Amino acid sequence: MSKIQEIQQAVEFGKKKIIKGLIEEALAEGCQAIDILNQGMIEAMSIVGEKFKAGEIYVPEMLVAARAMKEGVEIIKPHLLSDQNTVAGKFIIGTVEGDLHDIGKNLVAMMIESAGFTVIDLGVDVAPEKFIEAIKANPDCRLVGLSALLTTTMPALNKAVAAIIEAGLKSQVKIMVGGAPISQEFADKIGADGFAADAASAASIAKELVAS
Ligand code: B12
């Protein structure tokens, strides 16, 4: 079994204590940090999701896998961040109301920070008013990111975008949306300016949006 496969299994089965050692060994063997993240850790989370859907595992198993994933993200983070010194501007991000998933949002925040943005992370279960407050408190912010992982919180994403538009803040900020059930089509439908399926493309789209 390759080291990346070992990492995948450790995340999948929530073996938080051995993650650090495995990642360090993989890096020492010459594995790329981005491959460890994508092929090892993110792949593990999609396997966990499939198993949950199939009724083979339950919320507690998903939770321990998520904890192992978070531990892994902390270890891999310094190896993914570039020494970007440019200031691309401020980026406000949060997971929408009713949704507690934050692993993807945190990865997006990390990659966008690495692209030179100053990230203001509002956390999870963020009500539309909180996004509005944060945008008003940061008049120099030009970009907002909204994350939703549940089909049941897609309407909350729509609500947050509508609230930003209704508050007259659309001339100040561009809005980027994402999360497993979100598509470009949905993003267009709710009036968002950008969509990305993963954290790396989120960073490049963020740069494009502030430049346009
Ligand atoms: C881990 C997990 C949990 C953990 C979350 C822990 C945490 N701190 O995040 C816990 C156990 C708490 C959890 C709870 C629940 N979960 Co859950 N969970 C997952 C799981 C397995 C992995 C999610 C994840 O972290 N993926 C890895 C990251 C890296 O990927 P990502 O989140 O998609 O993010 C990437 C992109 O989407 C994008 N992106 C994400 N956000 C943004 C934002 C912007 C602006 C941009 C541009 C891009 C972007 O970039 C990211 C990085 O590449 C998914 C399965 C799956 N395949 O998604 C189920 C899943 C999302 N959960 C599901 C469900 C049903 C639930 C619960 C309702 C279960 C329950 N009965 O209680 C609760 C809901 C709680 C709530 N109110 O939010 C379902 C949703 C089904 C649906 N159709 O909506 C899924 C799909 C599992 C399944 N296959 O059934 N869950």
Side-chain angles (χ1 to χ4, degrees), residues 137-157:
N138 291 280
D140 54 339
C141 174
R142 300 276 168 268
L143 195 58
V144 179
L146 308 171
S147 179
L149 259 286
L150 300 167
T151 44
T152 50
T153 54
M154 287 168 77
L157 185 61

Side-chain angles (χ1 to χ4, degrees), residues 169-180:
L169 294 166
K170 199 57 195 53
S171 53
Q172 181 191 324
V173 290
K174 296 253 169 78
I175 306 171
M176 231 163 86
V177 294

Side-chain angles (χ1 to χ4, degrees), residues 45 49 52 62 98 100-104 147 149-151 179-180 196-199:
M45 295 315 282
F52 176 78
M62 250 194 329
L100 303 175
H101 295 85
D102 67 354
I103 294 171
S147 179
L149 259 286
L150 300 167
T151 44
D198 59 68

Side-chain angles (χ1 to χ4, degrees), residues 59-130:
V59 172
E61 286 93 340
M62 250 194 329
L63 207 49
V64 289
R67 287 196 188 125
M69 173 79 182
K70 284 197 167 187
E71 172 78 9
V73 169
E74 284 309 307
I75 313 295
I76 205 80
K77 203 170 165 176
H79 301 276
L80 287 167
L81 299 181
S82 68
D83 293 329
Q84 201 37 281
N85 289 320
T86 54
V87 181
K90 283 184 183 169
F91 176 67
I92 294 171
I93 189 165
T95 302
V96 298
E97 194 165 29
D99 202 321
L100 303 175
H101 295 85
D102 67 354
I103 294 171
K105 167 191 71 68
N106 294 346
L107 283 175
V108 170
M110 182 179 95
M111 294 304 271
I112 285 191
E113 190 177 351
S114 170
F117 286 83
T118 304
V119 173
I120 300 168
D121 189 344
L122 304 179
V124 296
D125 191 17
V126 182
E129 309 82 65
K130 292 272 174 208

